[in-house]
Amino acid sequence: MRTLLIPVCLVLLSGCATTSGNASGVSDYHVPSGDALSRYLEAVILQRGGHFNAAVDKLEQVVRLEPTSRVLSARLVNTYLRMQNWEKAAEAAEGFVERFPDEATGYVYLGGIYNQLGRYEESAEAFRRAIVMSPDDTLIQEALLEAETRSNDLVGALETYEQLIQMSPGSASLHAQHGLILMRLGDTAEAREALERSLAIDPQQDRVRFLLGVLQWDDDLHREALNTFQVLRSQQPNYPNLTQYIAATLVALGQRPQAINELERLIIAGQAEPNHHLQAMYLLLREGEPEQAIELAPPTGAPILATLLRAIARREQGLPFSPILDTFDRVEGDVHQECDRYLNDTLYLFGQEDTANYLINHLVDFRERGASSNNLDTILARLYMNRERYEEAEPIFQGMLEVYGDDVAIHNYLAMLYEAQDRWQDAERHLRAILDIDENDHNALNFLGYLWADENVNLEEAKKLIERALELDPNNGYYLDSLGWVYYRMGDGDNAVEHIRNALIHMDSDDAVLRDHLGDAYLLQGNVEEALRQWRRAIRLDPELEGVQEKIDAHGE
């Protein structure tokens, strides 16, 4: 997104925006007198000559002599802005706000400056204060929107878009962005309505139409989704991922052969990725066409999963499949990456439970027939974890450690499995095992530190582990939140707030758990108002988040 914040400040100062009490921003032209006038003229001359350091010294003297002049105070702030001395500009803008608390311009200054300093939440709050004083100013609203986006404040951004739409109801882009925010918040019904309004204004928005189709598909509105995808195909036949979503929609409608045709056309055209080959193989197997499934195996990119599907196809044909499984672990590839990239996609598109159970049944049969393979066991145990069948995944992973020896990935799976079952001491044991193998595994360092913080034990050691993780990955939002949570457990509200706020900025998106944590940290500080604000954001992000509504009820009015 383009940077609007500092230009907005300059536009306001030039008299193009309205503020409370003044129809033209900072416009109370006040001629300095006596000594102040002399110093002001010196400052102007120095500034025009490019001597900014000397100029600001004079301007600071003038402001002290003439503290009631908005123009002079603004001139001082603006000079620091031109110097890009953000710290001093912040001090000058804070002084402006203190002297003129009813002037929107000061808050606009602060919003832009705080943004440059990376203080995004404070930036957004400053722009909110400015909007209260100048509610119809679209430039300030755009600046607020950018600040909220940078601070990952989806709820704040949603409110700002709603204000902008009231002012410009015919803007297709505003309705589209409003829909995207609602989509990220998980409010799919309202998101669909917003995207539909956007398309009614401008039907030629390919991305908006695709996302509308995805939302319809995700909400089981499969006929509507198919129609949306087909309209998009007529406008943009090669839109990325369109074919696989059409195939998924056809499967949901009970039209599996048509779905296979969609994927086959993509393969014949030479436009298919490995996941499209795997999806076609899977659907052909489900349709009872194992021989054709083998023919569509991906040439490269997913050798382990392709080998597994070939083995299933030979079993379905009544042909020997053991030789394939005997060499399964010699196939070059990374089973964890293939599961992350391809298997999860297939489960998502064609039904988590149905697809997982189909594959599980074949894998269990292979094992019962004597197949022994690290790759096979990994896929089976991951499928069990996908279905939250932890009691069946656990012995498989444990057996792999006994047969194949210590492995970081297997220890990590077991730690996640035990953590999901609230067996934190078992999870701790496997995280320690990872660190015995690699003391710089930053994921394990953070995982163990957060686990201890969540259980409120070993806090000093937890702090050290997470700090080590942050040395290895300094801008990881999850790690910053973990450290903030340790500080919270230690009773240090100030450090907790600082680190959790910083964590939110570094996340890919807003996060309900982090908002909840931040609310708890503010409460520890004694800031009930801000705690409630963060908890309400957490509930908006995830209405089912445990315990948050109870805190709102306990501390709200």
Side-chain angles (χ1 to χ4, degrees):
M1 185 179 289
R2 59 196 172 93
T3 300
L4 296 169
L5 305 185
I6 294 306
V8 167
C9 297
L10 299 179
V11 167
L12 285 170
L13 288 177
S14 69
C16 295
T18 60
T19 64
S20 65
N22 275 299
S24 58
V26 182
S27 60
D28 63 328
Y29 182 70
H30 176 81
V31 179
S33 60
D35 190 26
L37 175 61
S38 173
R39 297 180 193 211
Y40 175 72
L41 292 174
E42 287 182 64
V44 171
I45 293 169
L46 288 166
Q47 191 172 11
R48 288 176 178 172
H51 305 292
F52 291 104
N53 288 325
V56 293
D57 287 341
K58 297 294 181 183
L59 284 172
E60 286 179 342
Q61 296 170 25
V62 172
V63 169
R64 285 194 294 270
L65 291 168
E66 297 279 350
T68 61
S69 170
R70 288 176 171 82
V71 169
L72 294 178
S73 294
R75 184 68 176 260
L76 176 61
V77 178
N78 200 36
T79 302
Y80 278 125
L81 289 177
R82 293 183 66 182
M83 297 169 66
Q84 296 190 4
N85 187 337
W86 309 115
E87 295 289 350
K88 294 296 291 184
E91 291 178 15
E94 287 161 359
F96 188 106
V97 166
E98 183 179 349
R99 288 189 293 276
F100 314 111
D102 297 328
E103 179 68 66
T105 301
Y107 292 104
V108 174
Y109 267 134
L110 277 181
I113 294 163
Y114 285 155
N115 174 74
Q116 293 295 330
L117 291 170
R119 295 160 62 178
Y120 301 121
E121 285 195 347
E122 292 169 277
S123 171
E125 183 57 33
F127 283 124
R128 289 190 196 103
R129 296 287 296 273
I131 282 178
V132 170
M133 301 173 190
S134 186
D136 296 328
D137 195 309
T138 56
L139 287 174
I140 301 177
Q141 290 188 351
E142 288 184 42
L144 170 60
L145 184 58
E146 181 171 344
E148 287 165 337
T149 302
R150 291 194 177 200
S151 64
N152 259 332
D153 185 356
L154 289 183
V155 176
L158 181 68
E159 293 168 354
T160 301
Y161 272 119
E162 289 169 349
Q163 292 176 12
L164 290 171
I165 286 170
Q166 287 181 356
M167 299 179 65
S168 302
S171 170
S173 63
L174 285 177
H175 286 293
Q177 292 300 321
H178 185 217
L180 293 179
I181 295 293
L182 287 164
M183 188 175 180
R184 291 170 68 186
L185 287 169
D187 195 340
T188 55
E190 288 195 29
R192 291 199 314 271
E193 291 179 7
L195 296 182
E196 286 167 354
R197 285 193 292 269
S198 179
L199 287 169
I201 297 167
D202 179 6
Q204 302 303 315
Q205 299 177 90
D206 295 339
R207 181 167 180 261
V208 174
R209 193 172 298 279
F210 175 72
L211 292 175
L212 174 59
V214 171
L215 284 172
Q216 291 167 332
W217 176 83
D218 214 29
D219 285 345
D220 296 331
L221 302 171
H222 297 124
R223 294 201 179 278
E224 292 91 332
L226 185 59
N227 178 66
T228 300
F229 289 138
Q230 288 173 337
V231 172
L232 176 57
R233 171 173 281 175
S234 69
Q235 296 176 344
Q236 186 62 261
N238 297 319
Y239 193 87
N241 296 318
L242 178 59
T243 296
Q244 68 178 6
Y245 269 99
I246 291 176
T249 306
L250 289 167
V251 168
L253 289 169
Q255 301 176 35
R256 193 183 287 153
Q258 293 90 329
I260 294 169
N261 290 339
E262 290 287 338
L263 293 167
E264 285 181 331
R265 278 198 293 269
L266 198 65
I267 293 169
I268 293 169
Q271 299 172 340
E273 300 291 334
N275 56 319
H276 301 130
H277 285 269
L278 293 172
Q279 290 159 16
M281 290 182 74
Y282 167 73
L283 293 179
L284 284 163
L285 288 171
R286 298 303 303 270
E287 196 61 18
E289 299 286 349
E291 185 175 353
Q292 191 177 352
I294 292 174
E295 293 175 2
L296 293 185
T300 59
I304 293 172
L305 290 176
T307 300
L308 173 62
L309 293 179
R310 278 198 297 268
I312 293 174
R314 288 185 65 82
R315 180 181 180 277
E316 297 267 325
Q317 290 176 282
L319 299 173
F321 55 85
S322 295
I324 294 178
L325 295 177
D326 289 342
T327 62
F328 202 18
D329 285 348
R330 294 199 292 275
V331 176
E332 291 187 7
D334 186 318
V335 66
H336 311 294
Q337 287 184 6
E338 286 193 34
C339 287
D340 288 341
R341 293 181 62 186
Y342 305 127
L343 180 59
N344 288 348
D345 271 359
T346 302
L347 294 170
Y348 167 69
L349 289 168
F350 302 117
Q352 297 275 357
E353 184 174 1
D354 181 54
T355 304
N357 288 341
Y358 173 83
L359 295 172
I360 286 170
N361 290 338
H362 281 287
L363 291 165
V364 168
D365 182 73
F366 288 156
R367 293 179 93 232
E368 290 175 348
R369 292 169 182 262
S372 177
S373 162
N374 190 324
N375 285 336
L376 186 153
D377 287 350
T378 298
I379 296 168
L380 177 57
R382 283 189 57 140
L383 287 167
Y384 280 139
M385 286 189 69
N386 174 272
R387 304 312 308 147
E388 298 183 5
R389 294 164 62 175
Y390 301 124
E391 70 285 350
E392 293 166 280
E394 179 183 356
I396 296 175
F397 284 134
Q398 292 286 9
M400 292 172 70
L401 289 177
E402 293 173 7
V403 173
Y404 304 110
D406 273 346
D407 182 274
V408 166
I410 303 306
H411 282 299
N412 191 56
Y413 287 134
L414 282 164
M416 290 190 292
L417 182 152
Y418 290 131
E419 193 264 347
Q421 299 177 86
D422 295 323
R423 296 167 58 182
W424 72 270
Q425 290 175 320
D426 288 324
E428 174 189 30
R429 176 163 45 87
H430 287 281
L431 292 169
R432 286 185 181 276
I434 293 173
L435 294 174
D436 286 340
I437 298 169
D438 180 3
E439 64 180 7
N440 291 319
D441 187 306
H442 51 84
N443 177 66
L445 288 167
N446 172 70
F447 194 164
L448 182 54
Y450 181 79
L451 190 71
W452 282 338
D454 215 33
E455 295 297 326
N456 206 15
V457 299
N458 304 334
L459 295 180
E460 286 294 342
E461 190 174 355
K463 179 172 175 289
K464 292 176 183 176
L465 291 180
I466 298 166
E467 286 173 340
R468 282 174 56 199
L470 281 165
E471 288 175 4
L472 297 163
D473 190 358
N475 294 319
N476 189 303
Y478 292 103
Y479 300 178
L480 289 164
D481 174 60
S482 296
L483 186 55
W485 199 234
V486 170
Y487 279 121
Y488 172 79
R489 292 297 198 190
M490 289 177 164
D492 186 345
D494 292 343
N495 266 314
V497 166
E498 177 187 346
H499 283 85
I500 299 172
R501 285 175 61 183
N502 197 19
L504 279 161
I505 291 167
H506 287 91
M507 296 292 286
D508 291 333
S509 184
D510 211 339
D511 187 277
V513 173
L514 268 67
R515 291 287 174 189
D516 181 26
H517 286 177
L518 186 54
D520 292 348
Y522 275 120
L523 184 65
L524 184 61
Q525 281 186 328
N527 190 342
V528 178
E529 180 181 354
E530 189 59 34
L532 285 166
R533 181 170 173 266
Q534 297 301 329
W535 289 329
R536 287 176 181 133
R537 273 164 161 65
I539 282 289
R540 185 66 178 87
L541 291 164
D542 182 1
E544 303 301 321
L545 192 61
E546 186 177 353
V548 180
Q549 187 59 54
E550 288 80 356
K551 287 184 279 193
I552 294 172
D553 294 340
H555 296 282
E557 295 182 358

